[in-house]
């Protein structure tokens, strides 16, 4: 039996999430009706070009959207509790113990003036009544678990004395120390070289195998392909396609997903001409009335510039192994939606 079937339910359910920035020029809908599930014991990916709303989706879940941004609608259910309806104090209590996030650049999240071991110990002591010695022991064990050799010695280092890979491991240790149910990793390997990236991704897999559900955000399809079980493709604030990793890579339907795959394969094959998707992500203040991708889409039809397509089933209505089905937001999919599509 698969892990997700054993555990049952979902770790995180996002339903019709809307987050906007209210700027002088108007409302920018950075997260636009996003629905997303994270399953227990699985790594769920979000992929898309820069500026598509991946980080804002994560920040909305964490309650970390800063002014002039605001979550304006939807539900964020963590183990059945609606995060969006909680007060900041209640949300604060869940951060760390139930849900943790690691960011792309660990230097911005670590205190440069405090030894890294101490920083992780403090995280424990904020949430739990433990002695200094206990906190230290647990920190050392966690450092070892995330692959930091000579853990005791490394705990005495300041962030600037560690390599990028080690700093990211410290961040992961800090995020994991309270054994959260959900870890959100936003571009955790983008600042690292490929060897260290592979190590960090292996670590993600082993954390997931030991019971933490992971939401992994990356602009890099290669990273997503290596470790994710299920993938959401975002474009201009919306989810445009979602499927288990094998289906998404073998049978992509949305022209945007196909474009991302083509661009990624041209990087891998070291082709002389680097394939990118022509055009740019639209200005979120002035989204086109129809499909947001229509101005860049080679297969654009009349309907595409007039209406926003709904999410429809691209194939079977059940996904493999208890995961969601393959859904796509494109008129080309041709299969009419059953129910409300999600
Ligand atoms: N302070 C802000 N004011 C207005 N728009 C913002 C602000 N911060 C981010 N955005 C916009 O939100 C959109 C989504 O950003 P983000 O979620 O960071 O994208 P991604 O993580 O996919 O690269 C971007 O188009 C960005 O320009
Ligand atoms: Mg981002």
């Amino acid at each position: 039996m698969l892990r997700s079937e054993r555990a049952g339910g979902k770790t995180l359910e996002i339903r019709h999430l809307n987050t906007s920035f209210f700027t002088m020029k108007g409302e920018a809908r950075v997260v636009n009706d996003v629905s997303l599930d994270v399953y227990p014991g699985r790594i769920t990916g979000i992929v898309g070009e820069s500026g598509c709303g991946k980080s804002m989706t994560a920040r909305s879940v964490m309650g970390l959207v800063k002014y002039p941004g605001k979550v304006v609608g939807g539900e964020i259910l963590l183990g059945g509790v609606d995060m969006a309806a909680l007060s900041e104090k209640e949300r604060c209590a869940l951060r760390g113990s139930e849900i943790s996030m690691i960011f792309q650049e660990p230097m911005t999240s670590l205190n440069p003036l405090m030894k890294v071991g101490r920083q992780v110990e403090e995280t424990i002591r904020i949430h739990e009544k433990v002695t200094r010695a206990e906190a230290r022991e647990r920190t050392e064990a966690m450092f070892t678990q995330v692959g930091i050799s000579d853990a005791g010695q490394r705990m005495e280092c300041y962030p600037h004395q560690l390599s990028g890979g080690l700093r990211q491991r410290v961040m992961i240790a800090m995020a994991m120390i309270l054994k959260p149910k959900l870890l959100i990793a936003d571009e955790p390997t983008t600042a690292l070289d490929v060897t260290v990236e592979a190590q960090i991704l292996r670590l993600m897999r082993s954390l997931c195998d030991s019971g933490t559900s992971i939401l992994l955000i990356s602009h890099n399809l290669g990273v997503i392909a290596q470790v994710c079980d299920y993938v959401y493709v975002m474009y201009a604030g919306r989810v445009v396609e979602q499927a288990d990793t094998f289906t998404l890579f073998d049978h992509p339907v949305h022209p945007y997903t196909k474009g991302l795959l083509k661009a990624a394969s041209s990087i891998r094959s070291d082709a002389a001409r680097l394939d990118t998707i022509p055009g740019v992500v639209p200005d979120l203040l002035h989204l086109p009335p129809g499909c947001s991708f229509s101005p860049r889409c080679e297969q654009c039809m009349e309907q595409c510039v007039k209406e926003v397509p709904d999410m429809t089933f691209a194939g079977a209505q059940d996904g493999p192994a208890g995961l969601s089905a393959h859904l796509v937001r494109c008129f080309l999919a041709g299969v009419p939606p059953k129910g409300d599509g999600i």
Side-chain angles (χ1 to χ4, degrees):
M1 194 168 29
L2 280 145
R3 282 187 302 276
S4 67
E5 288 167 336
R6 239 186 356 243
K10 294 157 189 167
T11 307
L12 178 73
E13 286 181 74
I14 302 179
R15 289 291 169 267
H16 306 291
L17 177 67
N18 283 286
T19 301
S20 288
F21 274 90
F22 295 90
T23 69
M24 301 285 275
K25 292 184 195 152
E27 178 181 355
R29 303 190 66 178
V30 297
V31 179
N32 197 337
D33 198 22
V34 165
S35 293
L36 180 155
D37 292 326
V38 177
Y39 289 87
R42 300 289 191 148
I43 303 185
T44 302
I46 305 182
V47 70
E49 286 164 294
S50 177
C52 283
K54 305 182 297 295
S55 296
M56 284 304 157
T57 301
R59 286 183 165 274
S60 303
V61 173
M62 297 297 289
L64 294 175
V65 177
K66 294 204 181 94
Y67 178 85
K70 193 173 184 313
V71 174
V72 287
E75 287 180 332
I76 301 165
L77 301 170
L78 182 72
V81 175
D82 187 2
M83 298 280 287
L86 297 181
S87 69
E88 181 48 28
K89 198 172 163 206
E90 290 168 320
R91 244 197 314 261
C92 227
L94 293 182
R95 283 202 286 265
S97 60
E98 297 283 311
I99 178 170
S100 259
M101 182 161 168
I102 49 176
F103 299 88
Q104 176 174 341
E105 186 28 79
M107 263 326 239
T108 56
S109 316
L110 291 171
N111 180 343
L113 303 175
M114 202 193 266
K115 290 176 181 171
V116 290
R118 184 80 192 281
Q119 296 191 45
V120 180
E121 289 166 32
E122 293 290 304
T123 306
I124 304 176
R125 299 190 71 200
I126 288 169
H127 287 267
E128 297 174 22
K129 281 199 170 60
V130 293
T131 63
R132 200 65 215 276
E134 270 177 90
R136 197 183 156 77
E137 208 174 295
R138 270 170 63 183
T139 301
E140 190 167 342
M142 184 50 81
F143 271 34
T144 307
Q145 197 190 326
V146 300
I148 299 176
S149 53
D150 302 324
Q153 240 171 311
R154 292 270 168 59
M155 282 166 68
E156 299 303 320
C157 293
Y158 290 92
H160 74 268
Q161 294 173 309
L162 300 175
S163 65
L166 278 173
R167 283 201 290 262
Q168 195 56 290
R169 282 172 200 268
V170 169
M171 277 305 298
I172 295 171
M174 186 133 69
M176 293 302 301
I177 194 75
L178 300 172
K179 302 209 181 329
K181 292 191 180 77
L182 174 66
L183 174 69
I184 302 180
D186 189 0
E187 310 266 6
T189 61
T190 301
L192 307 175
D193 67 52
V194 283
T195 320
V196 185
E197 173 175 279
Q199 291 166 3
I200 297 287
L201 292 179
R202 270 200 299 277
L203 172 60
M204 295 270 156
R205 189 77 251 175
S206 74
L207 293 173
C208 185
D209 288 343
S210 60
T212 301
S213 310
I214 296 179
L215 181 61
L216 176 68
I217 296 175
S218 181
H219 68 280
N220 182 338
L221 269 176
V223 165
I224 295 286
Q226 278 179 65
V227 286
C228 291
D229 297 295
Y230 196 86
V231 185
Y232 291 83
V233 181
M234 279 189 79
Y235 186 73
R238 292 192 179 102
V239 173
V240 295
E241 186 158 11
Q242 61 181 79
D244 66 277
T245 309
F246 289 113
T247 304
L248 190 85
F249 282 79
D250 286 349
H251 305 288
V253 173
H254 202 290
Y256 179 61
T257 312
K258 289 181 182 172
L260 283 180
L261 282 165
K262 199 170 157 206
S265 64
S266 79
I267 292 170
R268 266 205 309 277
S269 64
D270 217 10
R273 189 176 69 86
L274 187 67
D275 268 321
T276 51
I277 309 170
V280 291
V281 180
D283 179 356
L284 297 175
L285 285 165
H286 306 104
L287 278 181
C291 168
S292 313
F293 189 61
S294 60
R296 297 171 80 182
C297 185
E298 285 178 2
Q299 291 161 278
C300 179
M301 306 177 291
E302 210 183 319
Q303 191 182 13
C304 307
V305 293
K306 292 183 182 152
E307 295 167 51
V308 178
D310 285 331
M311 279 302 236
T312 58
F313 289 103
Q317 294 186 21
D318 294 314
L323 294 167
S324 300
H326 181 188
L327 296 165
V328 62
R329 194 184 285 283
C330 179
F331 292 118
L332 289 169
V335 185
K338 297 267 163 48
D340 73 353
I342 299 275

